[in-house]
Amino acid sequence: MCLLHIKRAPIISLFLLRIQPENMEGLRSKGCTTAETTHTHPLRSVQLLPIVPFNRVFALVYLCALLALFYHHLQRLLSSITLVSFFINLILFISDLVLAFMWSTAQAARLYPIQREEFPENLDKVVKRSDYPAVDVFICTADPTKEPPMSVVNTALSVMGYDYLTEKLSVYVSDDGGSALTLFAFMEAAKFAEHWLPFCRRNNVMRRSPESYFESNYSSSSETVEIKMMYESMKARVEHVMEKGAIEDEYITSDEEHKIFNQWTHKFTIQNHPNVIQILIANNKNKDVSGHFMPNLIYISREKSTSEHHRFKAGALNVLLRVSAVMTNASVILTLDCDMQSNDPHTLKRVLCYYLDPEIYAKYSYIQFPQHFQGINKNDIYACQFKRAFEIQPMGFDGLGGVDYFGTNCFFSRRAFFGGPSNFVCPEIPGLSPSHEVDKPIQSSEVLALAHHVADCNYEKQTTWGFKMGFRYGSLVEDLFTGYQMHCEGWRSIFCNPNRPSFLGHAPISLVDLLNQQKRWVIGVFEVGFSKYSPLIYGIKHMGLLMSLLYSQYVFWPIWSIPISTYAFLPQLALINQVRIFPKVSEPWFLLYPFLFLGAYGQDYFDFVSAKGTFQMWWNDQRIWTIRGLTCFLFGSFEFLLKSFGISTLGFSLTSKVVDDEQSKRYEQGIFDFGVSSPMFVTLTMAAMINLVALILGLGQFLKGSDSLEGLVIQMFIAGFGVVNCWPIYGAMVFRIDKGKLPVKITLTAAFLTWALYIVASFIFSN
C-alpha cells in the first residue's frame, strides 16, 4: 500500500528550502512592476499564497517519514530469505521509489505559489487606446465530423466580439481537414457577424458566443428574438449542409462564392490539396449594420501532400504564424482550441495590464489563462476540470519561472517565436520578422501571393521552423514542448486566473474518449521526457532545478502506472494467499503507513477545496487518477515503447466533440459510461475483481477470528479502498442494462485473465 497514500504530496529538503527562484524578484510585494510604480492607477498586483509556510513545514516532516519508509524497505530487502519474498519487496521498493520521484517533482509547485490580480478598469487612465497593440487570434480545427463547424463558428464569433479596436483585431481559422463545409459555415458566420457584433455592443453582452448566450438566462426583447431567429436560421443551414455532406446550389448566392467552392474538385482530398486562403471579412472594407468596421476574419487550409510528413497541429499553427505575419503581423497572438469560447469581452484589456509594460513584454513569452469547462456534471465524475494541472500547480509554476503552455487560452508575444529574449533568430524572409510593418491591405495581390507561398507544404524544408522558430515539433504534445523550449531559451511566462473565467470549453463526456485523449498525451510527454530535451538533463542546465522538477511532473506523468498497477494487484493477491507483506498492527513500523496515507490525502484534499472544489469532486478526481493508471497510462506507455522500437506508430487522433443524447443523459446523472469494448477496460475490470475477491476472503478470515489477521490489516484496507473506488465498475458489470454498461466480452475476458493471474500467483506464493 505504502505509497498509494503519497500520490501527490510534496517532497522537500533543506537544500530546496534555501533555493530562491530567479523569477521571484519583486514578487513578494504588490505594485512590483514599472507599470504599477510609475502610475497612481495600478494595473496589476501579485502576492505569495499564505499557505506557503505550512507547506514547507509539513513537507519537511513528511520527508522524514519517507526516509524512514525507505529505511524499512532496505531492511526488508536485506532480510529476505526466499527469492519470492525478495522479489515482492523489490517490486514494492521500486513502486515506492517511482512515487517518491513523482512526489518530488510536484514539490516545487508548493515552494513559491503566487496569485495575481489585474485592474483593467485603470487601463484607459494610463494609456491611450491608440497605443493598444494589434492582436491576431489563431483557431485550429481539423475534422468537421468530430469538431462540428458550428462550435468553431461560435468560438470565432466570441473573440470577434472582444471589446477592442476592430482595426487591430484579426481572427485566423486553420482548417486542417480542408473541408468546404467548414468554409461554408464561416461564410455564413461572416454574414451573421454583421448583426451579432453590434447587438453585443449595444446590450453589453458578456458571453459573446451566440450558442452560449442563448442557452443562458438572457433578457428577452424584440431585438433578442430577431437576432436569435437569425442565428437559428444560420445554424439550420450549416447543419443541413453537414447532414447532406455537400453544399447545394441554393446556398451559393454569388459568382464569387461559386469561384471559391470550385477549388474543391475530385482531386481535392484531406491528405492532398492546395492551400486555400479566403478573406471573409476585411477590417478596412466590411462594416456591420451599425456602420462600424469589423475585425478581420480569414480562413486558411494549408497545402498538403501525401508525400509530406505532416506536423499535425504544430504545423498548422506555424502556417498561421507565417500567413498572419504577411497579412497583419500583430505583436500579440492568441491561440485557441476550436471549442474554447471567450467568456469575457474584456480579456484583452486584462492582457494589456502586462504587455503594455515594456519590461514585461521583453522578458515574458506568453500569458496563460486556465481552461474552464461548461457542461460538466455536478460532481465531475471524470475529473475533466484538471484542477491541479490548470489551476493549482500553475500558481507554483508562476512563482518560479512561469506556467507551462496549455495549448489554448494563451496570449503570446510574437517575438517569442523567434529565439530567446537575447538571442533573436532571423527568419528567412523579412516579411516574417516580428518587427516587419505591413503597409499593404490584406486583399492586395502581393500580400496574398506571399501568404500562399508561406503556406505551401514544402516551405519549411531546409529551414529552422519547428526547431528554432515557431511552435516546436518533436512531440504529439506540441503545446507543452513549445512552452518548455521557450522557458529553456530564457523566456518567462505569466499565469492569469481572474474570478470570471475568460474562456469556457467543452470536456469529453465519454470515458473512452477521455482515456484515448490522455493515451495520446502519454505518448507525447514521453517523447519529451525520453529525448535529448529531457528536463532531468537539458532542462536543469537551462532552467535550473525547480522548474525542471515541475516540468518532470508532466513529462514523466505516465509512470504513475507502475505503482498504481502494483498496488492494485500485488497486496490483494498476497491477501488471498494469506501472505503478509506489510507490518503487523503491533509493530512500530505500522504507524508510519496511516500517517503517510492521511497526511498526503489530507493535504491533497485541502488543495482541491481551496480551488473551489467539493469533497465529491475530489473523490472522483482521485478515483480517475487510479483509473488512468490502469488504463491510458499503462497502454500509452506500452504503445510508446513499441513505437520506440519501430514496432508501432501512432497518428494524431481527435477527441470527438459530438454529443450523443443518451450518453449525455447518463453523464448528467453521474453514471459512468463503459459502453465501448476498449482493451483498456480489461485491466480495470481485472483490478475490480481482484480487490473484491481479496476483501471478501479477508473479511471471511476476520469472522473466523484468524490469528493471521493482525498482519493483513493494511492489505485489507487497500483491498477495501480499491473496492470503494471500483464501485461504478461493479454496477456496470452486473446491475446495468443501458448502453453504457460494461460489454459482456470485456467482463468475460477480464474474468478469465483474473483467474489465470490467481493461479499463477498461488503457485508463486506457495513456493
Side-chain angles (χ1 to χ4, degrees):
M1 154 198 174
C2 164
L3 281 189
L4 183 64
H5 41 280
I6 60 171
K7 64 187 181 82
R8 297 186 184 99
I11 191 171
I12 197 166
S13 68
L14 292 174
F15 171 69
L16 289 182
L17 278 171
R18 296 164 189 256
I19 294 178
Q20 297 297 321
E22 179 185 1
N23 195 32
M24 284 301 295
E25 53 188 81
L27 290 184
R28 292 178 179 80
S29 62
K30 294 191 175 184
C32 60
T33 62
T34 305
E36 291 180 280
T37 56
T38 56
H39 298 288
T40 57
H41 304 289
L43 294 181
R44 60 191 179 276
S45 67
V46 60
Q47 61 182 3
L48 275 173
L49 296 185
I51 193 66
V52 169
F54 172 80
N55 282 346
R56 296 174 184 176
V57 172
F58 178 82
L60 187 58
V61 173
Y62 207 89
L63 174 64
C64 295
L66 268 185
L67 293 176
L69 174 68
F70 283 106
Y71 174 75
H72 178 59
H73 267 306
L74 291 173
Q75 275 189 326
R76 289 180 62 86
L77 272 173
L78 295 175
S79 62
S80 299
I81 300 174
T82 66
L83 184 62
V84 172
S85 63
F86 179 82
F87 183 67
I88 291 172
N89 288 324
L90 181 63
I91 292 175
L92 291 174
F93 178 76
I94 292 173
S95 297
D96 289 358
L97 203 60
V98 170
L99 279 170
F101 167 71
M102 293 303 292
W103 183 45
S104 69
T105 62
Q107 131 66 21
R110 298 176 184 266
L111 285 179
Y112 294 99
I114 62 173
Q115 192 167 29
R116 297 180 184 271
E117 186 177 3
E118 302 77 37
F119 309 106
E121 64 275 9
N122 291 337
L123 198 62
D124 289 335
K125 302 172 185 176
V126 174
V127 66
K128 297 178 181 178
R129 288 176 66 88
S130 58
D131 292 331
Y132 287 4
V135 178
D136 288 340
V137 181
F138 295 171
I139 302 171
C140 291
T141 185
D143 186 345
T145 61
K146 291 186 176 181
E147 298 170 339
M150 279 308 301
S151 175
V152 192
V153 160
N154 272 276
T155 298
L157 288 171
S158 71
V159 290
M160 288 174 68
Y162 271 147
D163 179 18
Y164 206 70
L165 302 174
T166 56
E167 67 271 19
K168 294 191 176 185
L169 181 61
S170 303
V171 178
Y172 293 84
V173 179
S174 170
D175 176 18
D176 236 24
S179 172
L181 309 182
T182 301
L183 176 56
F184 172 78
F186 274 92
M187 292 173 72
E188 290 292 304
K191 299 171 186 175
F192 176 69
E194 297 177 8
H195 304 269
W196 175 249
L197 299 183
F199 170 81
C200 291
R201 284 197 303 270
R202 285 194 301 270
N203 296 278
N204 194 27
V205 173
M206 293 297 289
R207 304 182 72 172
R208 299 195 175 181
S209 155
E211 191 74 25
S212 296
Y213 175 74
F214 292 124
E215 287 177 352
S216 66
N217 295 321
Y218 61 90
S219 300
S220 182
S221 65
S222 58
E223 184 185 23
T224 308
V225 171
E226 182 180 358
I227 199 74
K228 184 177 182 181
M229 288 177 61
M230 294 175 64
Y231 175 70
E232 293 296 339
S233 176
M234 175 191 71
K235 183 178 178 180
R237 289 193 297 274
V238 172
E239 291 181 346
H240 177 76
V241 165
M242 284 296 300
E243 184 180 346
K244 293 291 184 181
I247 304 166
E248 298 173 348
D249 288 340
E250 63 181 290
Y251 291 132
I252 302 177
T253 58
S254 67
D255 292 339
E256 183 180 354
E257 291 181 357
H258 269 291
K259 183 178 179 181
I260 292 170
F261 290 115
N262 283 341
Q263 297 175 86
W264 275 264
T265 64
H266 68 281
K267 295 182 180 180
F268 195 112
T269 65
I270 294 177
Q271 295 82 17
N272 194 350
H273 62 79
N275 56 45
V276 179
I277 301 177
Q278 191 62 44
I279 300 171
L280 303 175
I281 299 177
N283 62 17
N284 60 354
K285 175 184 175 183
N286 299 99
K287 295 183 178 181
D288 59 35
V289 293
S290 66
H292 289 84
F293 285 111
M294 296 187 289
N296 291 321
L297 177 61
I298 302 159
Y299 169 93
I300 298 172
S301 182
R302 58 175 170 154
E303 182 186 21
K304 283 191 175 181
S305 169
T306 52
S307 62
E308 174 205 11
H309 173 64
H310 299 305
R311 298 293 188 175
F312 307 120
K313 186 177 176 181
L317 286 167
N318 278 335
V319 169
L320 287 177
L321 193 59
R322 293 193 297 271
V323 170
S324 66
V326 170
M327 302 185 86
T328 49
N329 207 31
S331 58
V332 177
I333 294 170
L334 165 62
T335 61
L336 273 184
D337 276 350
C338 62
D339 65 334
M340 191 62 68
Q341 299 160 3
S342 168
N343 188 52
D344 184 353
H346 308 303
T347 298
L348 278 176
K349 290 186 175 181
R350 196 173 294 278
V351 170
L352 295 189
C353 289
Y354 298 100
Y355 271 160
L356 285 178
D357 181 348
E359 186 178 350
I360 292 286
Y361 190 77
K363 294 180 180 179
Y364 289 76
S365 53
Y366 57 85
I367 299 171
Q368 178 68 65
F369 286 75
Q371 293 193 50
H372 292 280
F373 301 97
Q374 52 191 345
I376 289 180
N377 62 10
K378 181 181 177 182
N379 295 317
D380 190 14
I381 59 171
Y382 298 145
C384 291
Q385 296 183 78
F386 286 98
K387 277 190 175 291
R388 272 171 213 86
F390 293 157
E391 294 184 58
I392 299 171
Q393 289 192 332
M395 291 189 291
F397 259 110
D398 200 7
L400 296 172
V403 63
D404 57 313
Y405 171 38
F406 299 165
T408 184
N409 309 353
C410 191
F411 291 84
F412 283 92
S413 161
R414 186 180 288 269
R415 166 66 182 83
F417 292 107
F418 298 87
S422 58
N423 181 30
F424 179 70
V425 178
C426 187
E428 57 282 356
I429 58 175
L432 300 181
S433 174
S435 60
H436 169 70
E437 292 188 13
V438 179
D439 54 3
K440 295 182 176 65
I442 60 175
Q443 310 97 317
S444 70
S445 57
E446 291 178 56
V447 168
L448 288 174
L450 186 54
H452 279 276
H453 173 60
V454 299
D456 287 349
C457 63
N458 293 318
Y459 180 82
E460 292 183 358
K461 289 184 177 179
Q462 298 182 340
T463 71
T464 57
W465 282 96
F467 302 98
K468 292 185 178 180
M469 290 190 298
F471 295 86
R472 305 308 163 88
Y473 304 146
S475 170
L476 286 175
V477 286
E478 74 291 320
D479 46 5
L480 181 138
F481 193 40
T482 297
Y484 169 65
Q485 288 275 45
M486 287 182 173
H487 283 129
C488 287
E489 291 171 352
W491 290 104
R492 301 175 183 176
S493 59
I494 289 169
F495 180 59
C496 185
N497 186 16
N499 291 328
R500 179 184 176 87
S502 294
F503 301 94
L504 289 175
H506 294 277
I509 65 168
S510 161
L511 181 58
V512 73
D513 276 349
L514 178 77
L515 298 179
N516 280 330
Q517 179 192 58
Q518 294 186 28
K519 187 175 71 169
R520 176 171 62 84
W521 292 354
V522 166
I523 297 168
V525 296
F526 269 165
E527 287 173 337
V528 179
F530 292 103
S531 72
K532 66 179 182 180
Y533 297 108
S534 174
L536 295 179
I537 303 172
Y538 185 85
I540 288 179
K541 179 181 177 182
H542 291 84
M543 297 186 300
L545 178 62
L546 296 182
M547 282 290 285
S548 297
L549 283 174
L550 270 176
Y551 267 110
S552 295
Q553 168 77 5
Y554 291 96
V555 301
F556 295 112
W557 185 40
I559 64 174
W560 286 119
S561 60
I562 297 173
I564 291 175
S565 299
T566 296
Y567 289 111
F569 291 99
L570 182 57
Q572 295 80 351
L573 290 168
L575 175 61
I576 291 171
N577 288 277
Q578 297 291 292
V579 174
R580 180 175 67 88
I581 61 176
F582 293 112
K584 294 181 180 180
V585 175
S586 58
E587 295 177 357
W589 287 111
F590 175 85
L591 297 175
L592 183 63
Y593 290 84
F595 170 77
L596 290 171
F597 181 87
L598 295 174
Y601 268 83
Q603 190 173 43
D604 190 65
Y605 172 69
F606 178 81
D607 284 346
F608 201 90
V609 297
S610 297
K612 301 179 182 179
T614 65
F615 172 80
Q616 192 61 50
M617 286 180 179
W618 170 79
W619 177 261
N620 286 327
D621 183 88
Q622 67 84 28
R623 169 187 281 153
I624 288 294
W625 172 77
T626 307
I627 290 175
R628 288 198 302 253
L630 293 168
T631 54
C632 56
F633 288 178
L634 190 63
F635 281 76
S637 299
F638 183 66
E639 216 170 300
F640 170 77
L641 187 64
L642 292 177
K643 184 181 179 185
S644 299
F645 287 106
I647 299 174
S648 175
T649 58
L650 181 77
F652 182 85
S653 59
L654 295 171
T655 302
S656 177
K657 308 297 191 302
V658 180
V659 178
D660 176 84
D661 289 340
E662 289 187 27
Q663 194 177 67
S664 180
K665 185 178 180 180
R666 289 193 294 271
Y667 178 74
E668 286 300 320
Q669 293 172 347
I671 300 173
F672 275 66
D673 201 311
F674 298 96
V676 179
S677 295
S678 171
M680 288 189 287
F681 291 152
V682 174
T683 49
L684 186 61
T685 308
M686 287 176 64
M689 291 178 175
I690 285 287
N691 278 268
L692 183 60
V693 171
L695 180 63
I696 292 173
L697 293 179
L699 289 174
Q701 292 295 320
F702 174 77
L703 294 175
K704 290 179 183 179
S706 174
D707 294 335
S708 63
L709 185 64
E710 183 192 11
L712 301 174
V713 169
I714 293 177
Q715 287 159 254
M716 282 192 62
F717 175 81
I718 295 174
F721 192 72
V723 166
V724 175
N725 273 288
C726 292
W727 199 253
I729 303 169
Y730 302 130
M733 276 195 294
V734 180
F735 303 111
R736 288 169 55 183
I737 58 174
D738 56 72
K739 292 182 179 179
K741 69 178 182 179
L742 201 64
V744 175
K745 180 170 68 174
I746 296 293
T747 303
L748 294 177
T749 303
F752 172 76
L753 293 175
T754 301
W755 174 78
L757 184 63
Y758 164 73
I759 296 297
V760 172
S762 297
F763 174 77
I764 293 173
F765 283 119
S766 64
N767 290 282

